[in-house]
Amino acid sequence: NAGVTQTPKFRILKIGQSMTLQCAQDMNHNYMYWYRQDPGMGLKLIYYSVGAGITDKGEVPNGYNVSRSTTEDFPLRLELAAPSQTSVYFCASSYSLDPDREDTDTQYFGPGTRLTVL
Amino acid sequence: AQSVTQLDSQVPVFEEAPVELRCNYSSSVSVYLFWYVQYPNQGLQLLLKYLSGSTLVKGINGFEAEFNKSQTSFHLRKPSVHISDTAEYFCAVSPRGSNYKLTFGKGTLLTVNP
């Protein structure tokens, strides 16, 4: 299993540009998440999805959009990039509702995308 | 809602010394507890977790943590650290059965010096 994969690893955007951060998982997890990590602030949840076709806002959703058309993929869209969106973005996935699975109710993270908006 | 407080933002120690990284949480419901480790320029890796059962949890790389419900704590310990343990450590909590509501602490940077 590759686990959770993210592309790109690094990106520099100009103010006002748009981009999509890609995330995929091959663990058959039903839940997926996007976080941003800023220095000294821990991780903040941007959006999450409990299954294909279902998404919901987290703590800091403004300036972002998501979609979940398949179980495996959960892209994060930035429209009109702003310097405040300079951050490291992590995608994660988890499985819920099955107490017999070793990985149930545990989030697994991708390697991250480092985004700079200038 | 729940919250997590990691009491130390930085912990410097010498190699082969014991270490304890402190984590306290607040929640009105029963919780799951997690410790993640983040090595420089990498993603978060699960170190250990408490879902139920024994309150002493053993994880990877010789780390362990103890869930103390009365003190609402989940401190991480290792009896003898190595240079390679230098990393940032995050404590996290979620309501039992609602892992999508995972809340992270701000992290503790463990620096192991020779």
Side-chain angles (χ1 to χ4, degrees), chain A residues 41-62:
Chain A
M41 298 301 293
L43 277 77
K44 302 288 186 185
L45 182 64
I46 304 171
Y47 271 96
Y48 68 98
S49 168
V50 302
I54 307 169
T55 63
D56 206 350
K57 296 177 181 178
E59 187 178 355
V60 290
N62 291 345

PDB file of all heavy atoms in Angstrom, chain A residues 41-62:
ATOM      1  N   MET A  41       1.428  26.470  15.560  1.00  0.00           N
ATOM      2  CA  MET A  41      -0.036  26.491  15.681  1.00  0.00           C
ATOM      3  C   MET A  41      -0.654  25.108  15.623  1.00  0.00           C
ATOM      4  O   MET A  41      -1.871  24.965  15.665  1.00  0.00           O
ATOM      5  CB  MET A  41      -0.643  27.364  14.570  1.00  0.00           C
ATOM      6  CG  MET A  41      -0.205  28.809  14.638  1.00  0.00           C
ATOM      7  SD  MET A  41      -0.662  29.560  16.209  1.00  0.00           S
ATOM      8  CE  MET A  41      -2.444  29.564  16.068  1.00  0.00           C
ATOM      9  N   GLY A  42       0.116  24.079  15.462  1.00  0.00           N
ATOM     10  CA  GLY A  42      -0.467  22.752  15.315  1.00  0.00           C
ATOM     11  C   GLY A  42      -1.154  22.617  13.972  1.00  0.00           C
ATOM     12  O   GLY A  42      -0.830  23.321  13.012  1.00  0.00           O
ATOM     13  N   LEU A  43      -2.109  21.723  13.879  1.00  0.00           N
ATOM     14  CA  LEU A  43      -2.838  21.487  12.635  1.00  0.00           C
ATOM     15  C   LEU A  43      -4.269  21.975  12.775  1.00  0.00           C
ATOM     16  O   LEU A  43      -4.923  21.735  13.800  1.00  0.00           O
ATOM     17  CB  LEU A  43      -2.855  19.997  12.283  1.00  0.00           C
ATOM     18  CG  LEU A  43      -1.629  19.457  11.570  1.00  0.00           C
ATOM     19  CD1 LEU A  43      -0.484  19.268  12.539  1.00  0.00           C
ATOM     20  CD2 LEU A  43      -1.942  18.150  10.870  1.00  0.00           C
ATOM     21  N   LYS A  44      -4.756  22.636  11.744  1.00  0.00           N
ATOM     22  CA  LYS A  44      -6.135  23.109  11.715  1.00  0.00           C
ATOM     23  C   LYS A  44      -6.878  22.411  10.583  1.00  0.00           C
ATOM     24  O   LYS A  44      -6.383  22.342   9.454  1.00  0.00           O
ATOM     25  CB  LYS A  44      -6.182  24.631  11.488  1.00  0.00           C
ATOM     26  CG  LYS A  44      -5.429  25.440  12.528  1.00  0.00           C
ATOM     27  CD  LYS A  44      -6.127  25.448  13.855  1.00  0.00           C
ATOM     28  CE  LYS A  44      -5.431  26.394  14.836  1.00  0.00           C
ATOM     29  NZ  LYS A  44      -6.031  26.316  16.189  1.00  0.00           N
ATOM     30  N   LEU A  45      -8.081  21.933  10.860  1.00  0.00           N
ATOM     31  CA  LEU A  45      -8.874  21.214   9.874  1.00  0.00           C
ATOM     32  C   LEU A  45      -9.532  22.201   8.921  1.00  0.00           C
ATOM     33  O   LEU A  45     -10.224  23.134   9.352  1.00  0.00           O
ATOM     34  CB  LEU A  45      -9.928  20.363  10.584  1.00  0.00           C
ATOM     35  CG  LEU A  45     -10.818  19.503   9.708  1.00  0.00           C
ATOM     36  CD1 LEU A  45      -9.998  18.441   8.991  1.00  0.00           C
ATOM     37  CD2 LEU A  45     -11.920  18.852  10.539  1.00  0.00           C
ATOM     38  N   ILE A  46      -9.355  21.959   7.609  1.00  0.00           N
ATOM     39  CA  ILE A  46      -9.948  22.835   6.598  1.00  0.00           C
ATOM     40  C   ILE A  46     -11.301  22.269   6.152  1.00  0.00           C
ATOM     41  O   ILE A  46     -12.322  22.933   6.237  1.00  0.00           O
ATOM     42  CB  ILE A  46      -9.012  22.967   5.379  1.00  0.00           C
ATOM     43  CG1 ILE A  46      -7.630  23.460   5.805  1.00  0.00           C
ATOM     44  CG2 ILE A  46      -9.621  23.916   4.351  1.00  0.00           C
ATOM     45  CD1 ILE A  46      -6.601  23.414   4.680  1.00  0.00           C
ATOM     46  N   TYR A  47     -11.286  21.046   5.655  1.00  0.00           N
ATOM     47  CA  TYR A  47     -12.478  20.334   5.209  1.00  0.00           C
ATOM     48  C   TYR A  47     -12.299  18.853   5.512  1.00  0.00           C
ATOM     49  O   TYR A  47     -11.181  18.361   5.615  1.00  0.00           O
ATOM     50  CB  TYR A  47     -12.688  20.491   3.699  1.00  0.00           C
ATOM     51  CG  TYR A  47     -13.509  21.678   3.265  1.00  0.00           C
ATOM     52  CD1 TYR A  47     -12.882  22.860   2.877  1.00  0.00           C
ATOM     53  CD2 TYR A  47     -14.899  21.616   3.222  1.00  0.00           C
ATOM     54  CE1 TYR A  47     -13.624  23.966   2.477  1.00  0.00           C
ATOM     55  CE2 TYR A  47     -15.651  22.715   2.814  1.00  0.00           C
ATOM     56  CZ  TYR A  47     -15.008  23.882   2.437  1.00  0.00           C
ATOM     57  OH  TYR A  47     -15.739  24.968   2.031  1.00  0.00           O
ATOM     58  N   TYR A  48     -13.416  18.153   5.588  1.00  0.00           N
ATOM     59  CA  TYR A  48     -13.352  16.712   5.694  1.00  0.00           C
ATOM     60  C   TYR A  48     -14.506  16.092   4.903  1.00  0.00           C
ATOM     61  O   TYR A  48     -15.449  16.780   4.503  1.00  0.00           O
ATOM     62  CB  TYR A  48     -13.362  16.252   7.150  1.00  0.00           C
ATOM     63  CG  TYR A  48     -14.666  16.481   7.881  1.00  0.00           C
ATOM     64  CD1 TYR A  48     -15.603  15.457   8.017  1.00  0.00           C
ATOM     65  CD2 TYR A  48     -14.933  17.707   8.481  1.00  0.00           C
ATOM     66  CE1 TYR A  48     -16.777  15.664   8.704  1.00  0.00           C
ATOM     67  CE2 TYR A  48     -16.111  17.918   9.162  1.00  0.00           C
ATOM     68  CZ  TYR A  48     -17.032  16.897   9.286  1.00  0.00           C
ATOM     69  OH  TYR A  48     -18.205  17.093   9.974  1.00  0.00           O
ATOM     70  N   SER A  49     -14.376  14.776   4.681  1.00  0.00           N
ATOM     71  CA  SER A  49     -15.385  14.043   3.925  1.00  0.00           C
ATOM     72  C   SER A  49     -15.614  12.692   4.600  1.00  0.00           C
ATOM     73  O   SER A  49     -14.642  12.001   4.936  1.00  0.00           O
ATOM     74  CB  SER A  49     -14.918  13.839   2.488  1.00  0.00           C
ATOM     75  OG  SER A  49     -15.746  12.899   1.819  1.00  0.00           O
ATOM     76  N   VAL A  50     -16.868  12.326   4.769  1.00  0.00           N
ATOM     77  CA  VAL A  50     -17.183  11.041   5.404  1.00  0.00           C
ATOM     78  C   VAL A  50     -17.465   9.958   4.377  1.00  0.00           C
ATOM     79  O   VAL A  50     -17.741   8.811   4.733  1.00  0.00           O
ATOM     80  CB  VAL A  50     -18.345  11.171   6.406  1.00  0.00           C
ATOM     81  CG1 VAL A  50     -18.004  12.196   7.471  1.00  0.00           C
ATOM     82  CG2 VAL A  50     -19.636  11.525   5.702  1.00  0.00           C
ATOM     83  N   GLY A  51     -17.405  10.313   3.104  1.00  0.00           N
ATOM     84  CA  GLY A  51     -17.616   9.335   2.041  1.00  0.00           C
ATOM     85  C   GLY A  51     -17.772  10.061   0.725  1.00  0.00           C
ATOM     86  O   GLY A  51     -17.899  11.293   0.675  1.00  0.00           O
ATOM     87  N   ALA A  52     -17.761   9.300  -0.369  1.00  0.00           N
ATOM     88  CA  ALA A  52     -17.890   9.896  -1.702  1.00  0.00           C
ATOM     89  C   ALA A  52     -19.175  10.711  -1.780  1.00  0.00           C
ATOM     90  O   ALA A  52     -20.246  10.253  -1.369  1.00  0.00           O
ATOM     91  CB  ALA A  52     -17.874   8.799  -2.765  1.00  0.00           C
ATOM     92  N   GLY A  53     -19.027  11.937  -2.282  1.00  0.00           N
ATOM     93  CA  GLY A  53     -20.176  12.815  -2.451  1.00  0.00           C
ATOM     94  C   GLY A  53     -20.565  13.613  -1.234  1.00  0.00           C
ATOM     95  O   GLY A  53     -21.486  14.442  -1.300  1.00  0.00           O
ATOM     96  N   ILE A  54     -19.867  13.409  -0.097  1.00  0.00           N
ATOM     97  CA  ILE A  54     -20.231  14.089   1.151  1.00  0.00           C
ATOM     98  C   ILE A  54     -19.012  14.820   1.703  1.00  0.00           C
ATOM     99  O   ILE A  54     -17.986  14.200   1.981  1.00  0.00           O
ATOM    100  CB  ILE A  54     -20.731  13.097   2.215  1.00  0.00           C
ATOM    101  CG1 ILE A  54     -21.858  12.228   1.668  1.00  0.00           C
ATOM    102  CG2 ILE A  54     -21.185  13.836   3.471  1.00  0.00           C
ATOM    103  CD1 ILE A  54     -22.218  11.063   2.567  1.00  0.00           C
ATOM    104  N   THR A  55     -19.131  16.156   1.833  1.00  0.00           N
ATOM    105  CA  THR A  55     -18.042  16.948   2.410  1.00  0.00           C
ATOM    106  C   THR A  55     -18.605  17.917   3.428  1.00  0.00           C
ATOM    107  O   THR A  55     -19.808  18.240   3.400  1.00  0.00           O
ATOM    108  CB  THR A  55     -17.273  17.742   1.333  1.00  0.00           C
ATOM    109  OG1 THR A  55     -18.166  18.682   0.720  1.00  0.00           O
ATOM    110  CG2 THR A  55     -16.681  16.816   0.275  1.00  0.00           C
ATOM    111  N   ASP A  56     -17.747  18.391   4.311  1.00  0.00           N
ATOM    112  CA  ASP A  56     -18.190  19.351   5.321  1.00  0.00           C
ATOM    113  C   ASP A  56     -17.030  20.230   5.738  1.00  0.00           C
ATOM    114  O   ASP A  56     -15.853  19.847   5.608  1.00  0.00           O
ATOM    115  CB  ASP A  56     -18.774  18.639   6.539  1.00  0.00           C
ATOM    116  CG  ASP A  56     -19.785  19.500   7.287  1.00  0.00           C
ATOM    117  OD1 ASP A  56     -19.894  20.720   6.978  1.00  0.00           O
ATOM    118  OD2 ASP A  56     -20.453  18.975   8.187  1.00  0.00           O
ATOM    119  N   LYS A  57     -17.367  21.433   6.223  1.00  0.00           N
ATOM    120  CA  LYS A  57     -16.351  22.397   6.616  1.00  0.00           C
ATOM    121  C   LYS A  57     -15.728  22.023   7.947  1.00  0.00           C
ATOM    122  O   LYS A  57     -16.394  21.491   8.846  1.00  0.00           O
ATOM    123  CB  LYS A  57     -16.973  23.795   6.729  1.00  0.00           C
ATOM    124  CG  LYS A  57     -17.487  24.334   5.411  1.00  0.00           C
ATOM    125  CD  LYS A  57     -18.149  25.683   5.611  1.00  0.00           C
ATOM    126  CE  LYS A  57     -18.688  26.214   4.291  1.00  0.00           C
ATOM    127  NZ  LYS A  57     -19.382  27.516   4.459  1.00  0.00           N
ATOM    128  N   GLY A  58     -14.441  22.357   8.056  1.00  0.00           N
ATOM    129  CA  GLY A  58     -13.747  22.230   9.314  1.00  0.00           C
ATOM    130  C   GLY A  58     -13.631  23.582   9.986  1.00  0.00           C
ATOM    131  O   GLY A  58     -14.518  24.430   9.858  1.00  0.00           O
ATOM    132  N   GLU A  59     -12.505  23.801  10.661  1.00  0.00           N
ATOM    133  CA  GLU A  59     -12.315  25.014  11.441  1.00  0.00           C
ATOM    134  C   GLU A  59     -11.954  26.227  10.586  1.00  0.00           C
ATOM    135  O   GLU A  59     -12.339  27.354  10.907  1.00  0.00           O
ATOM    136  CB  GLU A  59     -11.193  24.753  12.464  1.00  0.00           C
ATOM    137  CG  GLU A  59     -10.957  25.845  13.469  1.00  0.00           C
ATOM    138  CD  GLU A  59      -9.856  25.475  14.456  1.00  0.00           C
ATOM    139  OE1 GLU A  59      -9.351  24.335  14.417  1.00  0.00           O
ATOM    140  OE2 GLU A  59      -9.481  26.348  15.253  1.00  0.00           O
ATOM    141  N   VAL A  60     -11.219  26.018   9.479  1.00  0.00           N
ATOM    142  CA  VAL A  60     -10.715  27.145   8.680  1.00  0.00           C
ATOM    143  C   VAL A  60     -10.996  26.941   7.189  1.00  0.00           C
ATOM    144  O   VAL A  60     -10.080  26.842   6.370  1.00  0.00           O
ATOM    145  CB  VAL A  60      -9.204  27.360   8.931  1.00  0.00           C
ATOM    146  CG1 VAL A  60      -8.952  27.897  10.326  1.00  0.00           C
ATOM    147  CG2 VAL A  60      -8.418  26.060   8.714  1.00  0.00           C
ATOM    148  N   PRO A  61     -12.267  26.911   6.750  1.00  0.00           N
ATOM    149  CA  PRO A  61     -12.579  26.587   5.356  1.00  0.00           C
ATOM    150  C   PRO A  61     -12.496  27.745   4.366  1.00  0.00           C
ATOM    151  O   PRO A  61     -12.476  27.506   3.145  1.00  0.00           O
ATOM    152  CB  PRO A  61     -14.025  26.109   5.455  1.00  0.00           C
ATOM    153  CG  PRO A  61     -14.587  26.935   6.583  1.00  0.00           C
ATOM    154  CD  PRO A  61     -13.453  27.089   7.569  1.00  0.00           C
ATOM    155  N   ASN A  62     -12.439  28.982   4.850  1.00  0.00           N
ATOM    156  CA  ASN A  62     -12.533  30.124   3.930  1.00  0.00           C
ATOM    157  C   ASN A  62     -11.368  30.164   2.943  1.00  0.00           C
ATOM    158  O   ASN A  62     -10.212  30.073   3.335  1.00  0.00           O
ATOM    159  CB  ASN A  62     -12.589  31.429   4.730  1.00  0.00           C
ATOM    160  CG  ASN A  62     -13.884  31.571   5.495  1.00  0.00           C
ATOM    161  OD1 ASN A  62     -14.851  30.850   5.232  1.00  0.00           O
ATOM    162  ND2 ASN A  62     -13.915  32.468   6.456  1.00  0.00           N
TER     163      ASN A  62
END
